[in-house]
Amino acid sequence: MSTTSPPDLAIEFVLARDPSSVFDAIVHPREWWMADIDGSADTVGTEFSYEVPGVHAATMRVTELVHGRRVVWRVVKSRMTFVDDPEEWVGTDLAFELRPDATGTQIRFTHVGLTAEDECYDVCSRAWRHYLSESLHGLLTTGRGAPSSNPDERRGHS
């Protein structure tokens, strides 16, 4: 008898930009995810952190960077106030896979370790979709992202 784990949260989309430009935008999360980030996300081994006061705080370590192809951040600290396990993200990875596409770059974002069984899955899925398909997309197509503008944050979730 085999047991199958539920799939990790994954979001795929295409942006009309080259992989190098997409990579360069991803490694600057202040521009599209959280405006008040401490630290750097553009060098392997560095850490960066953010806090939405009273809601969510996290620290990520950059574990992999392959220019124009892959970015991976490991969640080393996390505290969420809106779920029973405030450290639900600890030990998960945020992975961005970039592939050239006929119209630009295919992006596959996977929050490795966050599955539908996790309490924050629905809220986090909505938040990731916003940050990726609206904010990162906006940054790369208009030059303006929408960091920290997720509507769920205003309702007490990130």
Side-chain angles (χ1 to χ4, degrees):
M1 181 185 298
S2 71
T3 59
T4 306
S5 298
D8 298 317
L9 171 65
I11 299 167
E12 290 188 43
F13 58 104
V14 175
L15 279 172
R17 288 287 188 255
D18 64 279
S20 181
S21 297
V22 174
F23 178 92
D24 290 343
I26 289 170
V27 300
H28 292 95
R30 266 181 206 90
E31 303 297 320
W32 63 270
W33 186 17
M34 293 286 160
D36 295 326
I37 285 178
D38 292 323
S40 172
D42 60 358
T43 305
V44 172
T46 61
E47 292 185 356
F48 65 96
S49 59
Y50 69 88
E51 182 174 3
V52 178
V55 179
H56 187 202
T59 300
M60 316 292 170
R61 179 176 298 126
V62 180
T63 59
E64 190 175 346
L65 295 173
V66 179
H67 194 271
R69 296 185 54 211
R70 184 169 166 82
V71 174
V72 181
W73 301 328
R74 165 66 50 107
V75 181
V76 294
K77 294 180 191 172
S78 179
R79 185 184 74 255
M80 294 182 282
T81 61
F82 57 93
V83 294
D84 289 337
D85 178 4
E87 295 183 345
E88 192 170 80
W89 276 23
V90 173
T92 64
D93 289 320
L94 310 177
F96 302 82
E97 300 283 341
L98 312 176
R99 277 179 264 149
D101 180 89
T103 60
T105 302
Q106 180 181 15
I107 301 163
R108 178 177 174 83
F109 167 79
T110 307
H111 192 148
V112 181
L114 182 66
T115 70
E117 293 178 346
D118 292 304
E119 189 176 357
C120 95
Y121 184 86
D122 290 335
V123 169
C124 293
S125 176
R126 284 192 309 272
W128 280 125
R129 287 184 195 290
H130 163 78
Y131 287 121
L132 296 168
S133 64
E134 294 180 35
S135 187
L136 181 61
H137 180 271
L139 177 62
L140 284 159
T141 57
T142 70
R144 287 194 51 157
S148 305
S149 65
N150 177 14
D152 280 332
E153 286 175 8
R154 292 188 293 273
R155 290 193 297 265
H157 306 291
S158 65

